[in-house]
Amino acid sequence: MNERFLQESGKAVQGKEYLTFRIAQEEYGIDILKVREIRRYESPTRIARTPAFIKGVVNLRGTIVPIVDLRMRLHQDCAPQYGEFTVVVILNLLDRVVGIVVDSVSDVLHLQPEDISSVPEFECTIDHDCIEGLGSVAGRMLILLAIEKLMSNVDMGLVPADA
């Protein structure tokens, strides 16, 4: 687990930082250590016979990067909406580089372990294993994604399954 230790007033504080972003009305968080960069959305080159949520690929300084529309992946009945705040978050996942399209990026939050709750059992469009927990901070509820597990699902196959 990628945990960080900060020094505050000479006392070690354990926690983890998350990049937060929005998709529709929901706010998500992913481990900031997985984020390589954030880019403005540009239409990728479509590859034939790929699932609809894989928008295509972009050439990122010589690296061919698959681009996944996270809205389509998480909310399969939502039509993609690309606007001025739409961005692509480029991720380093094991030895792969993958981009995810999100509606907007909010900020980076530091969460303590006590700020994170487990996910209750209920029917949802994502496997429970792909949700790290539910973060609560300053009245906000964040869905913390286990992004490597989400990207290694059988229908994604972008990261080896043993991630």
Side-chain angles (χ1 to χ4, degrees):
M1 178 177 248
N2 295 323
E3 295 184 354
R4 291 187 174 176
F5 295 91
L6 301 176
Q7 295 292 325
E8 284 186 359
S9 304
K11 179 176 133 186
V13 178
Q14 183 181 12
K16 194 171 176 182
E17 290 183 319
Y18 293 88
L19 175 72
T20 64
F21 56 89
R22 288 197 163 276
I23 298 176
Q25 301 303 314
E26 299 163 356
E27 193 169 21
Y28 295 86
I30 55 176
D31 184 348
I32 192 72
L33 296 179
K34 308 284 186 220
V35 176
R36 178 174 170 170
E37 65 184 87
I38 299 169
R39 302 173 49 91
R40 181 173 58 97
Y41 178 77
E42 297 175 17
S43 292
T45 302
R46 181 90 179 127
I47 302 292
R49 301 182 57 92
T50 55
F53 55 80
I54 297 180
K55 303 305 294 178
V57 296
V58 296
N59 185 339
L60 183 64
R61 295 179 292 280
T63 301
I64 303 301
V65 178
I67 304 296
V68 175
D69 188 315
L70 210 51
R71 172 187 287 262
M72 294 177 72
R73 174 62 182 92
L74 299 176
H75 309 277
Q76 299 191 6
D77 18 321
C78 294
Q81 301 172 358
Y82 306 120
E84 63 181 297
F85 298 109
T86 304
V87 295
V88 176
V89 180
I90 304 294
L91 304 168
N92 283 324
L93 304 175
L94 298 177
D95 50 353
R96 293 286 310 259
V97 179
V98 177
I100 57 172
V101 180
V102 301
D103 290 351
S104 64
V105 170
S106 304
D107 48 26
V108 175
L109 295 176
H110 185 89
L111 297 178
Q112 298 297 324
E114 60 269 15
D115 298 329
I116 301 172
S117 304
S118 60
V119 180
E121 291 291 327
F122 55 84
E123 190 73 28
C124 68
T125 59
I126 330 174
D127 290 341
H128 280 122
D129 290 347
C130 298
I131 301 175
E132 192 176 301
L134 299 174
S136 297
V137 60
R140 295 163 59 186
M141 177 71 74
L142 304 169
I143 302 167
L144 304 174
L145 294 176
I147 196 71
E148 286 178 337
K149 287 184 180 175
L150 182 65
M151 294 296 167
S152 66
N153 273 355
V154 172
D155 59 339
M156 299 285 280
L158 295 174
V159 175
D162 57 355

